[in-house]
Amino acid sequence: MLDETMRSVSKAQSLKDIGTPCLLLDRDRMDRNVGRLRERLDRLGVALRPHLKTAKSVDAAQRVMTSPSGPATVSTLKEAEQFARAGVTDLIYAVGVSPDKIDRILALRADGVDLAVTLDTVEQAWVVAEASRRTGDPIPALIEIDCDGHRSGVLPGDAAKLVGIARALEEGGRLRGVLTHAGASYGAVGDAALRACAEVERASAVQAATLLRDAGFACPVVSVGSTPTAHFAETLDGVTEVRAGVFVFFDLVMAGIGVCAIDDVALSVLATVIGHQREKGWILVDAGWMAMSRDRGTAKQKIDQGYGLVCDIDGKPFGDLILSDANQEHGIVTVRPGSNARLPDLPIGTRVRILPNHACATGAQHGAYQVVRSGSDAIEAVWPRFGGW
Amino acid sequence: MLDETMRSVSKAQSLKDIGTPCLLLDRDRMDRNVGRLRERLDRLGVALRPHLKTAKSVDAAQRVMTSPSGPATVSTLKEAEQFARAGVTDLIYAVGVSPDKIDRILALRADGVDLAVTLDTVEQAWVVAEASRRTGDPIPALIEIDCDGHRSGVLPGDAAKLVGIARALEEGGRLRGVLTHAGASYGAVGDAALRACAEVERASAVQAATLLRDAGFACPVVSVGSTPTAHFAETLDGVTEVRAGVFVFFDLVMAGIGVCAIDDVALSVLATVIGHQREKGWILVDAGWMAMSRDRGTAKQKIDQGYGLVCDIDGKPFGDLILSDANQEHGIVTVRPGSNARLPDLPIGTRVRILPNHACATGAQHGAYQVVRSGSDAIEAVWPRFGGW
């Protein structure tokens, strides 16, 4: 854990002298990304409950949430505990709850955090109901809906299962609503496909909520969300809130499916040239997979970005220059296979920025964000980030 | 950074009650792996200089190194600084040096650490020589040799380049020797191919050292190493030391190429069952790619292990049960495609251990090792590990 004092830069540092590899966050791009989605959801009349699993940073969360106390979404209890300590009191833990997690959930709730859990089986509902009865604290839960077959959840039309879970839950706990995530939207490409994913996500959640209400349950919350669908939904009728995470930073996978432009990507890894294999057309840099992550999310997209798209120190892409292979601490920069672009002359010591395939995965490799402004090479601040569970 | 007091387990914990996901280290398997390679290298008459980039843990390093002060290898200056603080004084930084790293290297050397650097260009040699002259501290350097075309280094027969680098270096610095890494051995399969890789690695390093000695340079160190070649070299004539890293823990990639058995793998991720999609044959667990890493190193091997091989809580593989897909905090466990194995009945709350594809990558996702003994479910100790640069 970085010390509080690390949040302001004690010695003025710049992109030219900071140690590499390190994680850069362009705050202007981030603020623009956040502003764009907020405005869109305001227009659609739904609340934004950002997923803080991407940033895992209190400083970033404060710029993303619509109020200092939330609402927000988390993927681990560590996130819930860290954000609760920073004053966030309205949280959904959006990964299926298991019995071993109950004590930490109860502790957070006893501390005044309105932490809701997610589940999709009667067995989990029994566990939540029993803990609620035992403590006299009715734990709120959302039933996860499987809108596109990619992960967990109850099928949206499975009234018997939905009602069975709701009944088991309300023997002590409390049904807060339904929740779904259109994970399949990450594989959609283009406006029409993304709009279709968004509508499937919306309609599935609303269908499940309607079945529950028809059976006599209030089901006040209808929660949907993924970054692609949040940006392409044409209507969100019946939905009360949208969860999205990666939109804060965006990345090459999101650019590849058409959700953002390359110059919306706010996260990059600053690296230094450490060698050349000239006859092979290779430039070696000190950012390998440890700095970029092993995520190869663009491998199946139309444009394979390798381990990342290489830009100059100011963040301008060279064009068809990618991190085509990576060892733990070595990256191999080449022209993209099939391109006619020329390899730039980057002497040893040259600094480059590398845009990541997947912001959540690359972020997780680093202990802090070096915060910069567009068009400046000064490090404005250092925002610690945490990992673990 | 975890507190020192975390190293001993304050409240007795076991695999049944510790929070999941978490990283388990079977100390008996680790000790066996270390003992096997030590004995092998003793027989071949060369020193072991373990690569500490895999463990990134002072506690683990102390069991792996042949003395408390080293020798050892590091891939980042953060590792050098952390291990130096713990008393390790004989280190090679085995990633090509760049000008921005010199100040931290000089600081470590001024503190009494015999830290040698690695380089493969005249430009880097100039930088090292200039810093050496400036401080009156001749920085030792190893010339990296490219034995199999996979990364950095000078071709082993390129006498002109080798001598040019050595001359530039000795204008202030000091030629410590040559260093190579048979990275291509990770793609070799079977005894014959692995023995051939080892011999190429040995012969390349010795050839380069001979050329340098013929030109009048002492070149005392001839350093080779990768886990596969270290275990398959038939002779290491002319070599003075072997670097290897992943052998400490082993992993599924190493098992896939025949360097170890599955039951040598000392690292695993403990996870909890959080759901089922029974009609699809899926079991959901709370270990996704955040806990396992995005490494898919077995994807191109004969047996694709997905994101990991699933075992029971005692570490016994179920047989053909793998983590076939992963979201950030969700893992999807299935029978391996093509297998006739039956999906075991694992109720919500069941604990499993998942063996990783790549120990270095999976380790890096966690802040500590939960140390266990073979056949026991008690957590014996918690060893912190560090990340960053």
Side-chain angles (χ1 to χ4, degrees), chain A residues 42-65:
Chain A
D42 281 350
R43 236 184 309 128
L44 290 165
V46 295
L48 171 62
R49 180 186 286 277
H51 205 318
L52 303 181
K53 79 182 177 75
T54 305
K56 297 206 186 206
S57 149
V58 168
D59 304 271
Q62 282 162 352
R63 301 186 80 85
V64 176
M65 294 183 299

Side-chain angles (χ1 to χ4, degrees), chain A residues 333-353:
Chain A
V333 173
T334 67
V335 168
R336 190 194 315 282
S339 165
N340 294 321
R342 281 188 55 172
L343 194 72
D345 178 30
L346 304 180
I348 284 172
T350 304
R351 299 206 146 187
V352 295
R353 283 201 217 187

Side-chain angles (χ1 to χ4, degrees), chain A residues 62 80 92 99 106 127 164-165 218 228 254 288 294 302 305 315 347 354 359 372 374 383 386 388:
Chain A
Q62 282 162 352
I92 293 178
L106 288 168
V127 169
I165 294 170
M254 289 296 116
R294 272 289 196 195
K302 193 173 161 195
Q305 306 280 18
I354 310 171
V372 296
S374 296
W383 291 353
F386 57 87

Side-chain angles (χ1 to χ4, degrees), chain A residues 1 53 100-101 121 124 149 151-153 274 277 280 286 294-295 327-329 348 365 389, chain B residues 1 53 101 121 124 149 151-153 274 277 280 286 294-295 327-330 348 351 365 389:
Chain A
M1 187 67 56
K53 79 182 177 75
D100 54 298
K101 308 285 197 298
T121 62
Q124 288 165 300
R151 196 165 73 190
S152 332
I274 59 168
Q277 293 284 28
K280 292 180 181 168
D286 65 357
R294 272 289 196 195
D295 199 291
N327 289 177
Q328 185 161 334
E329 300 292 349
I348 284 172
Q365 303 298 106
W389 294 267
Chain B
M1 187 67 56
K53 78 182 177 77
K101 308 285 196 298
T121 63
Q124 288 164 300
R151 195 165 73 191
S152 332
I274 60 168
Q277 294 283 29
K280 293 179 180 167
D286 65 357
R294 271 290 195 196
D295 200 290
N327 289 179
Q328 185 161 334
E329 300 292 350
H330 295 79
I348 286 171
R351 300 208 144 185
Q365 304 297 107
W389 293 267

